[in-house]
Amino acid sequence: MFDFIAMRDRLAEFPTAEMLIGLCLLVIVAFIADFVVRRILTRLILRIVGRAVHDLDVLLRPVVRSFTRVVPAVIIHQGIGGVPHLAPGFVTLVQNVAGAFMIVAVAIGIGAGLDMANALYARSPRAHRRSIKGYLQVLKIVIYAIATILVIAALIDRSPLLLLSGLGALAAVLMLVFKDTILSLVASVQLNSNDMLRVGDWIEMPQVNADGDVIDIALHTVKVQNWDKTITTIPTWRLISESYRNWRGMQDSGGRRIKRSLLIDQTSARFLTDAERERMRRFLLIDDYLADKSAEMADWNAKLVEAGRDPVNMRRSTNIGAFRAYVQNYLENHPRIRQDMTLLVRQMQPTDTGLPLEIYAFTATVAWAEYEAIQADIFDHLLAILPEFDLRLFQSPSGADFVQLRRPSLAA
């Protein structure tokens, strides 16, 4: 039978070999414990949890892995003192490093646990009304700050209270030096907790000449690639203290708004004759409108005739009303216009530049080029068909207008 006592006595004659063997055994034990805990127990726990609650194993995995890193650190921290012939200073150094590693692992595990809590809360019906992400992020900052103090205290083998007393004296200086960092940190927490900004969002901030996509969000700065491919760098805190426009809502909705007016020359608006009204019924889009309008006005006018009222009180169709109905029906039958969103054709306040007939609708795409093409096609058609209703657009006189006015006099 193998004599362990004799072997130990013989190794005692070689202190260096005994020390190296002790260190190797300690590392092997720590490795085996890490393998058993992380590869066997962790998988078993996650499998059981995953069967109990859907997707909980995915959320719990970072938490469990962080805490399992503590096991080999504990073994090394407790076992290093049993290795013979090690210098006391080296033992203390290894224990301090192992203790700092345990603190870091626990802090990361708690942070992962807070992330898991936020993910679970996001599944609840209350999550869309009140978010706890900002509070959890502040709590993570506090935990990491405490962990940092404890790690430094463990590495230098001093009491954490000593470090806290020193930080209290330097608080004013630290706040002055790291003012921008503190402001940016608070702004980052608010931006993330309120989901105000994401990478890929299109934002407009005219005061800093930013109009484009967000390509990077860091602690101190947010980078925006403008449409001319220039880069605007914005301090993070300015996105909280100043206003900007985020187009994410438009992109998520799947529709982009058209809001543009045709300026109608008010002098071209007039009543339609019966012949003109019948002629316009060849437009399929307003055939029903004209038929319903004719029936409605016929009933109204018949009552006026019976009452012996003056014919001036009779209701008549107008060319601008027929055109407005045409535009409304044209948009309602357009395949690239969203029918489940607001769709209006309305007259605005008359101005000295004409009567604005505003089109308010949403395209079925948010892509810039497609949006502009759809908008251009709509107004190309409306501008071309406007004379069919005997209407004119208003525009300021140009040189060509004066030439046309002079031609009759020259011919005379």
Side-chain angles (χ1 to χ4, degrees):
M1 185 176 180
F2 187 76
D3 193 348
F4 288 100
I5 298 177
M7 185 64 181
R8 185 183 63 183
D9 293 340
R10 292 186 60 183
L11 284 175
E13 299 176 2
F14 303 96
T16 304
E18 187 178 13
M19 180 186 65
L20 292 175
I21 291 175
L23 286 174
C24 290
L25 289 175
L26 180 62
V27 172
I28 291 173
V29 171
F31 178 80
I32 294 174
D34 180 69
F35 179 83
V36 171
V37 173
R38 296 184 62 185
R39 300 297 178 87
I40 299 177
L41 292 180
T42 300
R43 290 184 178 180
L44 181 61
I45 293 172
L46 292 176
R47 185 174 298 175
I48 295 173
V49 171
R51 291 177 179 176
V53 181
H54 179 65
D55 286 343
L56 184 58
D57 56 329
V58 178
L59 300 175
L60 190 61
R61 184 176 289 112
V63 182
V64 176
R65 286 184 175 178
S66 298
F67 282 110
T68 54
R69 293 190 179 98
V70 176
V71 175
V74 171
I75 293 174
I76 292 177
H77 183 275
Q78 298 298 324
I80 193 66
V83 178
H85 309 298
L86 284 178
F90 181 76
V91 173
T92 302
L93 176 62
V94 173
Q95 288 179 337
N96 292 344
V97 173
F101 182 83
M102 287 188 286
I103 294 171
V104 172
V106 170
I108 294 176
I110 295 175
L114 293 176
D115 292 336
M116 183 185 70
N118 183 63
L120 292 175
Y121 177 79
R123 300 178 180 179
S124 66
R126 295 178 298 174
H128 71 281
R129 297 192 303 268
R130 182 178 295 274
S131 174
I132 63 171
K133 187 175 182 181
Y135 305 107
L136 294 181
Q137 286 181 333
V138 173
L139 186 57
K140 286 174 66 174
I141 293 172
V142 173
I143 292 171
Y144 290 153
I146 295 175
T148 302
I149 296 174
L150 294 177
V151 166
I152 296 174
L155 291 176
I156 66 177
D157 199 14
R158 293 290 185 272
S159 172
L161 298 177
L162 181 63
L163 294 176
L164 290 175
S165 63
L167 288 175
L170 293 175
V173 178
L174 291 175
M175 290 184 65
L176 180 63
V177 173
F178 297 104
K179 181 189 69 172
D180 292 339
T181 301
I182 294 172
L183 290 174
S184 298
L185 178 62
V186 174
S188 297
V189 171
Q190 292 180 334
L191 288 174
N192 291 327
S193 62
N194 297 318
D195 196 20
M196 298 169 61
L197 197 66
R198 301 176 191 169
V199 173
D201 284 355
W202 169 18
I203 67 170
E204 284 186 61
M205 200 170 183
Q207 56 269 39
V208 294
N209 296 321
D211 184 10
D213 292 332
V214 177
I215 59 175
D216 182 60
I217 301 176
L219 176 62
H220 295 90
T221 59
V222 172
K223 292 183 179 179
V224 178
Q225 185 176 54
N226 301 310
W227 301 122
D228 59 359
K229 300 305 179 183
T230 58
I231 304 294
T232 299
T233 302
I234 308 171
T236 307
W237 60 267
R238 292 194 66 172
L239 295 170
I240 297 297
S241 60
E242 300 179 20
S243 62
Y244 64 95
R245 175 180 292 183
N246 191 329
W247 290 84
R248 188 202 311 160
M250 177 272 294
Q251 294 172 332
D252 292 344
S253 69
R256 188 168 177 181
R257 185 185 69 177
I258 295 176
K259 186 181 179 183
R260 184 181 292 184
S261 297
L262 290 171
L263 297 177
I264 306 297
D265 188 342
Q266 298 172 79
T267 61
S268 63
R270 61 178 179 80
F271 291 116
L272 293 175
T273 63
D274 293 339
E276 289 173 333
R277 188 169 61 250
E278 289 300 320
R279 179 176 58 85
M280 284 187 179
R281 293 193 62 176
R282 75 183 192 277
F283 292 108
L284 182 62
L285 292 176
I286 58 173
D287 185 26
D288 293 340
Y289 165 80
L290 291 173
D292 294 341
K293 212 64 173 170
S294 297
E296 178 185 345
M297 290 185 294
D299 292 341
W300 174 274
N301 295 335
K303 294 178 182 178
L304 289 178
V305 172
E306 293 177 359
R309 297 293 183 180
D310 191 281
V312 75
N313 296 305
M314 293 184 177
R315 293 177 57 184
R316 288 176 287 177
S317 300
T318 62
N319 58 347
I320 193 168
F323 179 69
R324 179 167 50 81
Y326 177 86
V327 177
Q328 180 77 32
N329 290 322
Y330 176 76
L331 295 176
E332 290 177 354
N333 288 275
H334 199 290
R336 303 303 302 277
I337 295 296
R338 294 284 295 266
Q339 304 301 319
D340 57 338
M341 294 185 175
T342 305
L343 198 161
L344 294 174
V345 179
R346 57 177 181 169
Q347 291 184 12
M348 307 297 288
Q349 179 72 26
T351 66
D352 55 354
T353 57
L355 175 64
L357 187 68
E358 185 182 80
I359 294 174
Y360 193 103
F362 289 82
T363 61
T365 179
V366 297
W368 191 4
E370 295 181 26
Y371 162 79
E372 293 294 348
I374 294 170
Q375 183 173 233
D377 286 342
I378 290 173
F379 280 89
D380 287 347
H381 176 76
L382 297 182
L383 290 173
I385 207 168
L386 192 64
E388 294 288 339
F389 294 86
D390 200 20
L391 290 170
R392 297 186 303 273
L393 285 179
F394 182 93
Q395 66 179 21
S396 299
S398 64
D401 298 320
F402 291 110
V403 170
Q404 290 179 354
L405 288 174
R406 292 185 60 190
R407 279 178 180 172
S409 61
L410 292 176

